[in-house]
Each structure stands twice: as structure tokens, then as C-alpha cells.
Amino acid sequence: MEERQLLISQRLLRYVVEHCLEEKPYEACGILTGRGNRILTAWATENARRSTTAFEVEPSHQVQALNGARKRGESLLAIYHSHPTAVAYPSTSDIRMGIHWPEAARVILSLSGRVTQRAFYIRGNAVREIAFEVDEDVRGEWLDLRQSSRT
């Protein structure tokens, strides 16, 4: 897969940030799908680990998001998660977990101080940052899978 910038709408990014802030002090996580380099759907998921320093996308939510993306003609572009007290850079654990879904970028949001977000590809122990930019020509949909597990 060619590694290039990811584009997201301001609206979808705002929902992702709100999700991460809602889950603080725990790490939040979710899945970003789309076509090409355009994120068209953000899927908020539960952190199965419910941890302040680690995350695991709830397996049933992962299945729902990936099946839903396929039905929409979208593919997995990125997995996002928050660092409640750390910088937006992959931790040792993030790098180790990069073996899962290596084609997906990792979008990390730091909630320490002003919210910042950065995107990376992780291949083995190599971490390469890519551009993660807002583009208002990109439209998208926010789907909160957490709602289905809370009702």
C-alpha cells in the first residue's frame, strides 16, 4: 500500500476528539475507514482493556466496523487512539501492537494540554509519520458503536 497523507473533515475530527475526551482518563480507540486517502467513516469503539496506558478495540466492534466498511465499499485506513497524559507518538506498546493491521495508519491524539493529533505507519520497529490533515471537501459519517453496547 502506498503510504500518503490522510484527509478527514473537521466535523469527523471533532467527533474523534470528543470521543477521546469523553473516555479520559482511559485511552479511547476507534477505526477510520474510507477510500483512497479520504476518511469517510469514523467508528467509535470501546477500549476492551479499559486502561489509562493501553488499548484494544473491542473485538465485536472491530467486526462490526470492518464488515460495515466493506458494505460501504470502504477499506481500513487507520486505527485511532488517545494518549491521555502522553505525547502523540507511538509508545513501545503501540509499536509492538503495530504487527496487527500493518496496512493501517495509527492516528494518536494527545490529551495532555492542548489536544494534538498525529498519524504514523508502523512497520516492525520503524515508525514513519505521515500528514493527517483537515480537508472540508471530504464528507463523512460518525458511527458510535459504543451506543449499541450500552443499551
Side-chain angles (χ1 to χ4, degrees), residues 23-78:
E23 297 296 329
K24 192 176 180 180
Y26 302 108
E27 287 197 7
C29 57
I31 293 173
L32 303 172
T33 62
R35 292 184 204 100
N37 66 337
R38 296 175 179 274
I39 295 166
L40 301 175
T41 310
W43 309 78
T45 65
E46 292 283 353
N47 178 352
R49 292 192 184 184
R50 194 86 176 139
S51 168
T52 60
T53 59
F55 80 96
E56 176 186 349
V57 172
E58 168 58 44
S60 65
H61 291 174
Q62 177 179 306
V63 170
Q64 279 182 270
L66 296 178
N67 286 342
R70 191 172 22 262
K71 289 176 185 172
R72 293 166 171 260
E74 297 175 13
S75 59
L76 173 64
L77 297 183

Side-chain angles (χ1 to χ4, degrees), residues 93-103 106 122-124:
S93 173
D94 295 336
I95 293 169
R96 194 172 46 252
M97 296 303 289
I99 62 167
H100 305 288
W101 306 103
E103 73 280 9
R106 300 312 201 253
I122 300 172
R123 302 286 192 273

